[in-house]
Amino acid sequence: MSELYCPLPPRDQDILRFRSQYGANLGSVFVLGPQLSNSIPREDPAGSSELQFLKKSIASNGLEETRRKWETHWLSALSDDDLIWLKDVAKCRTLRLPLSFYSLGPLFCLGTAFEGEPSQVYHSCWNIVKHLIEKCRYHGIGILIDFHTSSSGINLCANAENRTVARDCVAFLAQEVTFHGMSGVVGLSISSGCESASDMCECYDEVLKIARAIDQSLLIYIDDGQEKSKQQVFGGCKSAIPQFRADFLNGTVQMPSCLTIPQAHVREKTKQATAEQSHFREKASSQTTSSWSPHQRQSFTHGWDLGYSDALRFFGAAIQGILPPRDGADKISALEPWIGQRKRDIQPAQLDEDPSAWEDGLRRGIDDFYKFVGI
């Protein structure tokens, strides 16, 4: 392929988003305050206790003392020792980070029960969240933002007025991720617990359209426990960190085998795969259907080269300086979204490629690479 043809290679953001996801749930730190810090949001579906504790603390200790207490709670969410253990021992790739509308600050509390003093407690919450995301990114750990539409007894999808809040929150999150360099965010999950509402799917459709209008490459997941939503659910993160650590140590949690490959082996396989690329390309091209035209074969070859090169870049990201150095290799897991992303990058029809043959080549190139390296 010529340099003019090639799209940019996968960025660090792409690798974080589209690779195999494995890790833990950060828990309720930014949704439930210090008194309820040992549970995750869906264990308390009503969630009304958060607002009650806020009001009680403000009445007893004052707004400033309450804010300091909550901010101390958020700042202790993930210690340096936790991060090092997650990165080097558990080989964690991703953390799920639950948030609610009040986690984003007072502006998103207008018209809700949090308006006024309770909302002021969350004035710095989003900035603390962003700092945590950047800290994780420095260690090569991506963050799934898990936005809860049902918190503190308020279901944002239940009526038109609250749905405006949901839309504003999702738009804000998508804009922050897209336009403020938050490359450590791997996607946005929209969660509602198990509460149902007659127009829940309509609410999901609205927030999905908003997010995709801002950034088509931002992966969006719907997790409401209801078959009717029929949206992709993110399954890459396990239990909250203390339970994840216990499960890991007793062998209950099994990490993907590709994450245990030593750096030296990744480096050697990367070198071999690069040297063998032209051989595998010729072999794949020779196995295409005899009815194809030369144009279709060329399109297949272009797609194959791109797929193979993409998989190679994911595989060696930690030894090539794209991501922080660590053992293990990354693999394209969200295959269909990645292919969709590459179609938007390259727009094969506009480059006079045969779209079907080009996509066949892209898929075959990715598959051939993983067969060679054995993952």
Side-chain angles (χ1 to χ4, degrees):
M1 290 185 292
S2 71
E3 290 298 321
L4 291 175
Y5 176 90
C6 285
L8 291 173
R11 304 162 294 173
D12 60 343
Q13 173 179 291
D14 296 323
I15 295 169
L16 288 169
R17 287 183 180 180
F18 295 94
R19 67 184 178 179
S20 296
Q21 305 294 353
Y22 156 80
N25 192 324
L26 191 60
S28 61
V29 179
F30 295 97
V31 177
L32 301 178
Q35 294 88 341
L36 300 167
S37 60
N38 292 324
S39 63
I40 60 175
R42 57 171 52 100
E43 291 175 358
D44 177 22
S48 57
S49 47
E50 169 69 356
L51 184 57
Q52 293 170 7
F53 274 117
L54 275 173
K55 289 180 175 180
K56 182 178 179 180
S57 179
I58 292 170
S60 301
N61 307 309
L63 176 59
E64 290 306 314
E65 178 59 30
T66 298
R67 179 156 54 194
R68 281 193 290 271
K69 184 175 182 179
W70 258 248
E71 288 179 358
T72 299
H73 170 59
W74 301 329
L75 290 168
S76 64
L78 198 62
S79 69
D80 289 339
D81 287 344
D82 286 335
L83 272 171
I84 292 170
W85 183 86
L86 287 166
K87 171 181 176 285
D88 295 334
V89 179
K91 316 296 184 186
C92 176
R93 263 32 182 188
T94 318
L95 288 176
R96 181 193 289 266
L97 195 162
L99 299 176
S100 188
F101 65 93
Y102 45 84
S103 312
L104 306 182
L107 181 63
F108 298 95
C109 298
L110 296 175
T112 75
F114 276 77
E115 184 174 357
E117 286 191 328
S119 72
Q120 295 302 317
V121 173
Y122 285 85
H123 186 271
S124 300
C125 186
W126 176 242
N127 285 332
I128 294 174
V129 168
K130 289 199 292 185
H131 177 73
L132 177 63
I133 291 172
E134 184 58 30
K135 189 176 179 181
C136 290
R137 167 65 187 82
Y138 177 79
H139 287 79
I141 297 174
I143 294 290
L144 174 75
I145 295 178
D146 185 13
F147 178 70
H148 284 249
T149 63
S150 180
S151 294
S152 210
I154 300 171
N155 186 344
L156 297 182
C157 290
N159 60 63
E161 183 178 354
N162 285 344
R163 278 163 59 183
T164 300
V165 178
R167 290 196 299 268
D168 289 346
C169 289
V170 171
F172 173 78
L173 288 168
Q175 288 170 342
E176 286 284 289
V177 171
T178 304
F179 302 123
H180 292 272
M182 297 178 67
S183 62
V185 175
V186 306
L188 176 59
S189 174
I190 313 295
S191 301
S192 67
C194 294
E195 293 189 31
S196 62
S198 58
D199 54 0
M200 192 74 78
C201 290
E202 185 177 346
C203 179
Y204 291 148
D205 288 341
E206 290 177 5
V207 297
L208 284 168
K209 287 177 182 178
I210 289 169
R212 287 170 177 163
I214 294 168
D215 184 357
Q216 284 188 303
S217 69
L218 179 61
L219 298 179
I220 308 295
Y221 304 89
I222 298 296
D223 186 5
D224 68 347
Q226 300 179 59
E227 175 63 22
K228 67 178 184 179
S229 68
K230 297 187 183 300
Q231 297 289 344
Q232 185 179 11
V233 175
F234 186 90
C237 296
K238 313 292 182 180
S239 52
I241 291 176
Q243 185 61 51
F244 175 78
R245 185 191 293 264
D247 290 342
F248 179 87
L249 293 175
N250 67 28
T252 303
V253 171
Q254 297 294 323
M255 72 176 69
S257 59
C258 63
L259 303 187
T260 64
I261 303 174
Q263 276 193 349
H265 186 69
V266 174
R267 189 172 288 107
E268 180 60 26
K269 278 292 187 180
T270 298
K271 182 179 178 181
Q272 293 174 1
T274 302
E276 293 289 337
Q277 183 166 350
S278 60
H279 167 71
F280 291 134
R281 181 199 308 121
E282 291 173 6
K283 180 180 178 181
S285 182
S286 71
Q287 294 173 347
T288 57
T289 177
S290 59
S291 63
W292 269 4
S293 67
H295 176 63
Q296 287 173 307
R297 292 183 188 281
Q298 183 182 56
S299 295
F300 175 89
T301 299
H302 287 166
W304 187 95
D305 257 328
L306 182 62
Y308 190 94
S309 298
D310 284 352
L312 176 60
R313 190 169 175 88
F314 272 71
F315 182 79
I319 64 167
Q320 297 167 14
I322 304 168
L323 295 178
R326 62 189 302 177
D327 282 344
D330 286 308
K331 179 179 180 179
I332 300 171
S333 177
L335 181 59
E336 297 308 317
W338 179 244
I339 289 172
Q341 178 64 33
R342 276 329 210 178
K343 286 179 180 178
R344 290 189 293 272
D345 290 338
I346 202 72
Q347 297 181 340
Q350 292 187 16
L351 288 174
D352 196 31
E353 299 289 351
D354 180 279
S356 179
W358 180 88
E359 184 176 334
D360 285 348
L362 181 68
R363 292 177 182 275
R364 174 67 186 268
I366 293 171
D367 187 56
D368 281 351
F369 176 83
Y370 290 132
K371 285 180 178 176
F372 175 72
V373 297
I375 62 172

